[in-house]
Amino acid sequence: MRKQFLFIFLASIVANTSQAQTRSTRIGYIDMEYILENVSDYKEAKSQLELKATKWKQEIETKKLEINKLKESLKTEKALLTKELIEERETEIKFLENEMLEYQQKQFGVDGNLMHQKASLAKPIQDQVFTAVQDIAEAKNYDFIFDKSSDLTMLFSAKRFDISDQVIRILNRTEKREQLNKKQLKQQEAKENLENEIDENPAMAERQKALDARKAAREKLVADRKLEQEAKRKEYEDKRNAIAAEKAAKKNGTVSETAKTTTEEEIKTDGTAKPATESTTIEPTTTTVDPNINKAEERQRLYEQRKKELEERKKKILEEREAAKKAKEAETEKTNTTNN
């Protein structure tokens, strides 16, 4: 209630000031949570803290399981225990429960380690944000800048008064400046001036967004074309390598593709394999000694491999034909038996 009254009081001051002065009052606001989530150092540290919190939760769950086991054991054995032993067990369980609750409060309580580490983690970034806000207010003549994520209630806030992105850019600039040389520093300053002009001119900001969108579309188109050209080049190289391998195999005496096709067609038609002299033609093997022994061995390996594949294909076709023939004979025999 007190903070709402403060906000109304400030708003009334703004209204009176705007009426009394010829210059209009400039108001802006930031969203501290949004800024923190977009600062790389804070995000990395926050992920480490979340890993710690997960480890603490696992330890608490382990303690709970141990306590539940002790309770179940006591419940099962209670009829066999004396009163003194039962009280001793109950005291031990109560002690472990209190210890677990204290540990939970220590890590996740209002004044626990998690809250302290979150505050210490955000403090350096918040200091940088406050400095950046002051620089923006002085440079652009802001009269009031509020924090939207604070306890101060903002019933409505227009997006055009949000300077959070400007603050993030200033934080990123500070980090980048430390790693730039003189030439890069000048380029960075020119870029910063352009960004400042865009912040001051909404129409220019819209044009810049359209330019960025067209640039992204062009870059995507170029990338797609490069991928397409790379795929075509790879396909061409694969075809060329396949043709070269086929020529090398034929030169070394591999069965020709025409002979293979003829053999397969004859097997499919008759169901039996014809002699190799009728279906295949073996080209004469050249007796020229190849100076490159590795290439000769590779060609011989390809020849043996293709020959093996052809024999396996023949065998498979013959087996399928034989199985079909037996099935047909069995069916015929069954029909004859039924008729008799």
PDB file of all heavy atoms in Angstrom, residues 36-55:
ATOM      1  N   LEU A  36      18.951  -9.553 -16.674  1.00  0.00           N
ATOM      2  CA  LEU A  36      19.813 -10.588 -16.103  1.00  0.00           C
ATOM      3  C   LEU A  36      19.805 -11.861 -16.937  1.00  0.00           C
ATOM      4  O   LEU A  36      20.846 -12.494 -17.139  1.00  0.00           O
ATOM      5  CB  LEU A  36      19.366 -10.901 -14.665  1.00  0.00           C
ATOM      6  CG  LEU A  36      19.593  -9.800 -13.625  1.00  0.00           C
ATOM      7  CD1 LEU A  36      18.992 -10.206 -12.289  1.00  0.00           C
ATOM      8  CD2 LEU A  36      21.072  -9.493 -13.462  1.00  0.00           C
ATOM      9  N   GLU A  37      18.627 -12.231 -17.458  1.00  0.00           N
ATOM     10  CA  GLU A  37      18.517 -13.447 -18.254  1.00  0.00           C
ATOM     11  C   GLU A  37      19.231 -13.326 -19.600  1.00  0.00           C
ATOM     12  O   GLU A  37      19.484 -14.329 -20.264  1.00  0.00           O
ATOM     13  CB  GLU A  37      17.044 -13.797 -18.489  1.00  0.00           C
ATOM     14  CG  GLU A  37      16.295 -14.232 -17.255  1.00  0.00           C
ATOM     15  CD  GLU A  37      16.872 -15.503 -16.640  1.00  0.00           C
ATOM     16  OE1 GLU A  37      17.395 -16.339 -17.408  1.00  0.00           O
ATOM     17  OE2 GLU A  37      16.818 -15.632 -15.411  1.00  0.00           O
ATOM     18  N   ASN A  38      19.570 -12.109 -20.016  1.00  0.00           N
ATOM     19  CA  ASN A  38      20.224 -11.898 -21.305  1.00  0.00           C
ATOM     20  C   ASN A  38      21.688 -11.474 -21.160  1.00  0.00           C
ATOM     21  O   ASN A  38      22.306 -11.048 -22.134  1.00  0.00           O
ATOM     22  CB  ASN A  38      19.471 -10.829 -22.113  1.00  0.00           C
ATOM     23  CG  ASN A  38      18.187 -11.370 -22.708  1.00  0.00           C
ATOM     24  OD1 ASN A  38      18.172 -11.952 -23.789  1.00  0.00           O
ATOM     25  ND2 ASN A  38      17.092 -11.194 -21.987  1.00  0.00           N
ATOM     26  N   VAL A  39      22.246 -11.602 -19.959  1.00  0.00           N
ATOM     27  CA  VAL A  39      23.672 -11.350 -19.736  1.00  0.00           C
ATOM     28  C   VAL A  39      24.371 -12.699 -19.602  1.00  0.00           C
ATOM     29  O   VAL A  39      24.001 -13.506 -18.740  1.00  0.00           O
ATOM     30  CB  VAL A  39      23.886 -10.490 -18.464  1.00  0.00           C
ATOM     31  CG1 VAL A  39      25.367 -10.324 -18.174  1.00  0.00           C
ATOM     32  CG2 VAL A  39      23.224  -9.127 -18.638  1.00  0.00           C
ATOM     33  N   SER A  40      25.363 -12.952 -20.457  1.00  0.00           N
ATOM     34  CA  SER A  40      25.974 -14.287 -20.547  1.00  0.00           C
ATOM     35  C   SER A  40      26.637 -14.697 -19.227  1.00  0.00           C
ATOM     36  O   SER A  40      26.503 -15.851 -18.791  1.00  0.00           O
ATOM     37  CB  SER A  40      27.005 -14.317 -21.684  1.00  0.00           C
ATOM     38  OG  SER A  40      27.998 -13.319 -21.482  1.00  0.00           O
ATOM     39  N   ASP A  41      27.339 -13.793 -18.562  1.00  0.00           N
ATOM     40  CA  ASP A  41      28.011 -14.140 -17.305  1.00  0.00           C
ATOM     41  C   ASP A  41      27.009 -14.585 -16.241  1.00  0.00           C
ATOM     42  O   ASP A  41      27.246 -15.558 -15.508  1.00  0.00           O
ATOM     43  CB  ASP A  41      28.806 -12.933 -16.782  1.00  0.00           C
ATOM     44  CG  ASP A  41      29.997 -12.609 -17.670  1.00  0.00           C
ATOM     45  OD1 ASP A  41      30.392 -13.487 -18.455  1.00  0.00           O
ATOM     46  OD2 ASP A  41      30.514 -11.479 -17.580  1.00  0.00           O
ATOM     47  N   TYR A  42      25.890 -13.888 -16.174  1.00  0.00           N
ATOM     48  CA  TYR A  42      24.872 -14.242 -15.185  1.00  0.00           C
ATOM     49  C   TYR A  42      24.249 -15.608 -15.502  1.00  0.00           C
ATOM     50  O   TYR A  42      24.014 -16.424 -14.603  1.00  0.00           O
ATOM     51  CB  TYR A  42      23.792 -13.169 -15.142  1.00  0.00           C
ATOM     52  CG  TYR A  42      22.666 -13.461 -14.170  1.00  0.00           C
ATOM     53  CD1 TYR A  42      22.820 -13.202 -12.813  1.00  0.00           C
ATOM     54  CD2 TYR A  42      21.462 -14.004 -14.611  1.00  0.00           C
ATOM     55  CE1 TYR A  42      21.800 -13.469 -11.918  1.00  0.00           C
ATOM     56  CE2 TYR A  42      20.447 -14.276 -13.718  1.00  0.00           C
ATOM     57  CZ  TYR A  42      20.617 -14.013 -12.377  1.00  0.00           C
ATOM     58  OH  TYR A  42      19.607 -14.302 -11.499  1.00  0.00           O
ATOM     59  N   LYS A  43      23.989 -15.858 -16.788  1.00  0.00           N
ATOM     60  CA  LYS A  43      23.378 -17.133 -17.176  1.00  0.00           C
ATOM     61  C   LYS A  43      24.293 -18.313 -16.837  1.00  0.00           C
ATOM     62  O   LYS A  43      23.835 -19.357 -16.362  1.00  0.00           O
ATOM     63  CB  LYS A  43      23.054 -17.125 -18.673  1.00  0.00           C
ATOM     64  CG  LYS A  43      21.874 -16.245 -19.028  1.00  0.00           C
ATOM     65  CD  LYS A  43      21.367 -16.519 -20.424  1.00  0.00           C
ATOM     66  CE  LYS A  43      22.351 -16.103 -21.476  1.00  0.00           C
ATOM     67  NZ  LYS A  43      21.800 -16.225 -22.839  1.00  0.00           N
ATOM     68  N   GLU A  44      25.596 -18.170 -17.102  1.00  0.00           N
ATOM     69  CA  GLU A  44      26.531 -19.252 -16.797  1.00  0.00           C
ATOM     70  C   GLU A  44      26.601 -19.507 -15.294  1.00  0.00           C
ATOM     71  O   GLU A  44      26.556 -20.656 -14.836  1.00  0.00           O
ATOM     72  CB  GLU A  44      27.919 -18.898 -17.336  1.00  0.00           C
ATOM     73  CG  GLU A  44      27.997 -18.894 -18.859  1.00  0.00           C
ATOM     74  CD  GLU A  44      29.339 -18.396 -19.351  1.00  0.00           C
ATOM     75  OE1 GLU A  44      30.217 -18.132 -18.502  1.00  0.00           O
ATOM     76  OE2 GLU A  44      29.514 -18.274 -20.582  1.00  0.00           O
ATOM     77  N   ALA A  45      26.713 -18.428 -14.506  1.00  0.00           N
ATOM     78  CA  ALA A  45      26.776 -18.589 -13.054  1.00  0.00           C
ATOM     79  C   ALA A  45      25.473 -19.163 -12.505  1.00  0.00           C
ATOM     80  O   ALA A  45      25.470 -19.980 -11.580  1.00  0.00           O
ATOM     81  CB  ALA A  45      27.088 -17.237 -12.399  1.00  0.00           C
ATOM     82  N   LYS A  46      24.347 -18.770 -13.099  1.00  0.00           N
ATOM     83  CA  LYS A  46      23.049 -19.267 -12.639  1.00  0.00           C
ATOM     84  C   LYS A  46      22.918 -20.764 -12.910  1.00  0.00           C
ATOM     85  O   LYS A  46      22.371 -21.508 -12.086  1.00  0.00           O
ATOM     86  CB  LYS A  46      21.932 -18.514 -13.355  1.00  0.00           C
ATOM     87  CG  LYS A  46      20.541 -18.886 -12.868  1.00  0.00           C
ATOM     88  CD  LYS A  46      19.465 -18.135 -13.626  1.00  0.00           C
ATOM     89  CE  LYS A  46      18.083 -18.568 -13.162  1.00  0.00           C
ATOM     90  NZ  LYS A  46      17.012 -17.890 -13.934  1.00  0.00           N
ATOM     91  N   SER A  47      23.433 -21.212 -14.053  1.00  0.00           N
ATOM     92  CA  SER A  47      23.366 -22.652 -14.354  1.00  0.00           C
ATOM     93  C   SER A  47      24.200 -23.452 -13.352  1.00  0.00           C
ATOM     94  O   SER A  47      23.799 -24.548 -12.932  1.00  0.00           O
ATOM     95  CB  SER A  47      23.859 -22.913 -15.782  1.00  0.00           C
ATOM     96  OG  SER A  47      25.221 -22.568 -15.916  1.00  0.00           O
ATOM     97  N   GLN A  48      25.357 -22.911 -12.941  1.00  0.00           N
ATOM     98  CA  GLN A  48      26.164 -23.579 -11.923  1.00  0.00           C
ATOM     99  C   GLN A  48      25.428 -23.640 -10.588  1.00  0.00           C
ATOM    100  O   GLN A  48      25.464 -24.657  -9.881  1.00  0.00           O
ATOM    101  CB  GLN A  48      27.494 -22.835 -11.756  1.00  0.00           C
ATOM    102  CG  GLN A  48      28.394 -22.872 -12.969  1.00  0.00           C
ATOM    103  CD  GLN A  48      28.878 -24.261 -13.300  1.00  0.00           C
ATOM    104  OE1 GLN A  48      29.098 -25.074 -12.404  1.00  0.00           O
ATOM    105  NE2 GLN A  48      29.037 -24.549 -14.575  1.00  0.00           N
ATOM    106  N   LEU A  49      24.749 -22.557 -10.252  1.00  0.00           N
ATOM    107  CA  LEU A  49      23.984 -22.527  -9.001  1.00  0.00           C
ATOM    108  C   LEU A  49      22.830 -23.526  -9.044  1.00  0.00           C
ATOM    109  O   LEU A  49      22.512 -24.177  -8.037  1.00  0.00           O
ATOM    110  CB  LEU A  49      23.462 -21.111  -8.752  1.00  0.00           C
ATOM    111  CG  LEU A  49      22.672 -20.886  -7.451  1.00  0.00           C
ATOM    112  CD1 LEU A  49      23.522 -21.259  -6.246  1.00  0.00           C
ATOM    113  CD2 LEU A  49      22.207 -19.437  -7.355  1.00  0.00           C
ATOM    114  N   GLU A  50      22.194 -23.666 -10.193  1.00  0.00           N
ATOM    115  CA  GLU A  50      21.100 -24.629 -10.331  1.00  0.00           C
ATOM    116  C   GLU A  50      21.597 -26.062 -10.155  1.00  0.00           C
ATOM    117  O   GLU A  50      20.887 -26.912  -9.609  1.00  0.00           O
ATOM    118  CB  GLU A  50      20.436 -24.458 -11.697  1.00  0.00           C
ATOM    119  CG  GLU A  50      19.586 -23.184 -11.799  1.00  0.00           C
ATOM    120  CD  GLU A  50      19.034 -22.968 -13.194  1.00  0.00           C
ATOM    121  OE1 GLU A  50      19.457 -23.712 -14.120  1.00  0.00           O
ATOM    122  OE2 GLU A  50      18.204 -22.062 -13.370  1.00  0.00           O
ATOM    123  N   LEU A  51      22.827 -26.334 -10.627  1.00  0.00           N
ATOM    124  CA  LEU A  51      23.410 -27.662 -10.410  1.00  0.00           C
ATOM    125  C   LEU A  51      23.612 -27.925  -8.913  1.00  0.00           C
ATOM    126  O   LEU A  51      23.352 -29.030  -8.417  1.00  0.00           O
ATOM    127  CB  LEU A  51      24.741 -27.775 -11.146  1.00  0.00           C
ATOM    128  CG  LEU A  51      24.675 -27.852 -12.671  1.00  0.00           C
ATOM    129  CD1 LEU A  51      26.079 -27.845 -13.272  1.00  0.00           C
ATOM    130  CD2 LEU A  51      23.938 -29.105 -13.119  1.00  0.00           C
ATOM    131  N   LYS A  52      24.074 -26.899  -8.193  1.00  0.00           N
ATOM    132  CA  LYS A  52      24.224 -27.036  -6.740  1.00  0.00           C
ATOM    133  C   LYS A  52      22.879 -27.310  -6.081  1.00  0.00           C
ATOM    134  O   LYS A  52      22.759 -28.181  -5.207  1.00  0.00           O
ATOM    135  CB  LYS A  52      24.820 -25.753  -6.153  1.00  0.00           C
ATOM    136  CG  LYS A  52      26.308 -25.601  -6.351  1.00  0.00           C
ATOM    137  CD  LYS A  52      26.793 -24.369  -5.606  1.00  0.00           C
ATOM    138  CE  LYS A  52      28.283 -24.177  -5.786  1.00  0.00           C
ATOM    139  NZ  LYS A  52      28.761 -22.973  -5.064  1.00  0.00           N
ATOM    140  N   ALA A  53      21.859 -26.549  -6.472  1.00  0.00           N
ATOM    141  CA  ALA A  53      20.527 -26.727  -5.885  1.00  0.00           C
ATOM    142  C   ALA A  53      19.993 -28.133  -6.146  1.00  0.00           C
ATOM    143  O   ALA A  53      19.367 -28.751  -5.274  1.00  0.00           O
ATOM    144  CB  ALA A  53      19.565 -25.680  -6.446  1.00  0.00           C
ATOM    145  N   THR A  54      20.240 -28.648  -7.341  1.00  0.00           N
ATOM    146  CA  THR A  54      19.806 -30.011  -7.669  1.00  0.00           C
ATOM    147  C   THR A  54      20.493 -31.030  -6.767  1.00  0.00           C
ATOM    148  O   THR A  54      19.872 -31.997  -6.300  1.00  0.00           O
ATOM    149  CB  THR A  54      20.127 -30.313  -9.144  1.00  0.00           C
ATOM    150  OG1 THR A  54      19.471 -29.356  -9.979  1.00  0.00           O
ATOM    151  CG2 THR A  54      19.652 -31.708  -9.531  1.00  0.00           C
ATOM    152  N   LYS A  55      21.792 -30.822  -6.535  1.00  0.00           N
ATOM    153  CA  LYS A  55      22.534 -31.728  -5.642  1.00  0.00           C
ATOM    154  C   LYS A  55      21.968 -31.679  -4.226  1.00  0.00           C
ATOM    155  O   LYS A  55      21.805 -32.717  -3.575  1.00  0.00           O
ATOM    156  CB  LYS A  55      24.008 -31.334  -5.642  1.00  0.00           C
ATOM    157  CG  LYS A  55      24.881 -32.263  -4.824  1.00  0.00           C
ATOM    158  CD  LYS A  55      26.331 -31.821  -4.862  1.00  0.00           C
ATOM    159  CE  LYS A  55      27.193 -32.727  -3.982  1.00  0.00           C
ATOM    160  NZ  LYS A  55      28.610 -32.290  -3.974  1.00  0.00           N
TER     161      LYS A  55
END
